[in-house]
Amino acid sequence: MDGGGRVVLAVNGKRSTAKKRANNASVGADDRLVLPRPLRRVFRFCASLATGRIHIPAHTGTASTLVFFSAVGLYGMSLGGHTELVAQATTSAAGFAVEDVKVSGNLQTSEIEVFQLLGLDGATSLIALNVNAARKKLTELPWVEDVEVRKVYPKTIEVRLKERQAFGIWQHGSELSLIEKSGSVIAPLRDNKYAGLPLFVGRDAETGAAGFVDELADWPEIRNRVRAYVRVAGRRWDLHLDNGIVVKLPEENVPKALQLLARLDMEQKILSRDVAAVDLRLSDRTTVQLTEGAAERRQTAVDARSKALKKAEKST
């Protein structure tokens, strides 16, 4: 039995020793520093690099240095605002300098104005040219309504303009301006090239011009004789005809007044007589103002008639 007892003790002793080793191992593992997962790869890479297990190609240091200084240079240019200048110079030297600008659709806008706004100086790079910025600058020209700017490599720019259309001349105070049909001012009137356009005078005349001219479409004989449309107090219109007659239109029911004027002219040739003004402002009566010469002649005729009547009365 003693022999059996020794065997049992030996086995128990081995088990006890293994248990102690396991406990010691777990304590040692708990005491070690465990790196976070992202840092483990970095640590392994540094260890491999230090032991020579990773091969580094030749000239890698030189290339890395060049990349570093290039990045620093680009960052410095960006901070100093010189990036565009450097890009212009680099791409121009590479054969992309703008040498030809094709402008189309410009009847009122000169090509010189286009060149100046684009800032072309013979060294402008086509690659570095900002098309959107160029388009925005060109739309600031007075006559330009819309514009398209295209790059045609390697050295050409195409500029297609859509210009505004002059509808009339607006006189406000002592200033004369060209206006669109919408009433928008295009530019100041500088020469007599547009003398054939209708003249609109007065406050708010430019905004109501197109609508009123369209209202005269049914009376072309009258409209063709109008030389100026004068807006009175922002409420009604006076028509100044080519022979100096002023037609005073009412504030409302303008078509009825124009119809009456057309009938008077057809039946009595009122617009061909020595008349200074035809007043149609009142719906129940029409007032005709004679010219100064016609009024004097009329007064002379009236006086002569009065004298003749008095003389006839005395003789009887």
Side-chain angles (χ1 to χ4, degrees):
M1 294 185 63
D2 291 341
R6 284 194 297 271
V7 173
V8 172
L9 290 173
V11 172
N12 290 338
K14 290 180 180 179
R15 289 180 180 177
S16 177
T17 303
K19 187 175 182 180
K20 289 180 180 180
R21 288 177 180 176
N23 291 334
N24 292 335
S26 63
V27 171
D30 292 339
D31 293 339
R32 285 186 306 174
L33 176 63
V34 179
L35 294 174
R37 186 177 297 274
L39 294 180
R40 294 176 192 175
R41 296 181 181 180
V42 177
F43 180 78
R44 293 194 201 103
F45 175 79
C46 293
S48 300
L49 188 65
T51 56
R53 285 185 290 175
I54 296 179
H55 174 68
I56 300 177
H59 309 295
T60 301
T62 303
S64 300
T65 303
L66 291 176
V67 171
F68 173 75
F69 282 114
S70 298
V72 172
L74 291 173
Y75 181 70
M77 286 187 296
S78 177
L79 289 180
H82 304 298
T83 305
E84 185 176 352
L85 294 176
V86 174
Q88 287 274 8
T90 304
T91 53
S92 295
F96 291 99
V98 177
E99 294 183 359
D100 187 19
V101 180
K102 297 180 180 179
V103 183
S104 60
N106 57 317
L107 297 177
Q108 311 298 334
T109 306
S110 69
E111 293 185 356
I112 296 178
E113 290 178 304
V114 175
F115 298 157
Q116 289 176 342
L117 281 182
L118 290 179
L120 303 178
D121 55 4
T124 303
S125 167
L126 185 64
I127 296 178
L129 179 69
N130 189 325
V131 172
N132 291 329
R135 180 182 178 276
K136 185 177 180 180
K137 288 181 180 179
L138 292 176
T139 52
E140 294 175 358
L141 291 171
W143 284 94
V144 176
E145 179 179 352
D146 195 12
V147 60
E148 179 184 357
V149 180
R150 295 178 62 247
K151 297 180 181 181
V152 181
Y153 288 95
K155 302 178 179 182
T156 304
I157 297 175
E158 288 186 355
V159 178
R160 298 178 183 177
L161 301 178
K162 180 183 178 182
E163 294 187 329
R164 303 162 74 181
Q165 300 296 319
F167 172 74
I169 301 170
W170 176 40
Q171 179 178 339
H172 44 108
S174 59
E175 299 293 328
L176 294 174
S177 301
L178 291 168
I179 60 173
E180 293 182 283
K181 195 170 185 178
S182 63
S184 299
V185 176
I186 299 175
L189 182 65
R190 301 299 186 191
D191 50 45
N192 295 325
K193 183 167 59 174
Y194 303 97
L197 294 176
L199 175 64
F200 301 92
V201 183
R203 180 173 57 88
D204 299 329
E206 79 284 10
T207 56
F212 183 69
V213 171
D214 291 341
E215 200 170 4
L216 290 174
D218 293 334
W219 294 274
E221 299 83 2
I222 298 175
R223 187 178 67 175
N224 292 338
R225 298 187 61 177
V226 177
R227 289 295 171 264
Y229 301 83
V230 180
R231 189 71 167 160
V232 181
R235 296 183 294 104
R236 63 174 196 84
W237 293 91
D238 282 350
L239 305 180
H240 290 240
L241 305 185
D242 51 5
N243 59 356
I245 294 178
V246 177
V247 178
K248 300 180 180 182
L249 295 175
E251 184 177 350
E252 298 178 354
N253 207 356
V254 174
K256 181 179 178 181
L258 291 171
Q259 186 176 5
L260 174 59
L261 179 64
R263 181 168 59 82
L264 289 175
D265 189 47
M266 182 179 64
E267 295 176 355
Q268 304 179 25
K269 304 297 180 184
I270 192 172
L271 298 181
S272 300
R273 296 188 175 187
D274 290 336
V275 173
V278 179
D279 193 343
L280 301 170
R281 289 176 293 178
L282 300 178
S283 59
D284 58 345
R285 69 176 68 95
T286 299
T287 303
V288 177
Q289 178 184 349
L290 299 175
T291 62
E292 185 176 349
E296 291 178 355
R297 290 192 297 272
R298 182 177 182 280
Q299 187 62 44
T300 300
V302 170
D303 292 342
R305 184 180 179 183
S306 298
K307 290 179 179 179
L309 290 175
K310 290 179 181 180
K311 186 176 181 181
E313 290 176 358
K314 289 181 180 180
S315 61
T316 56

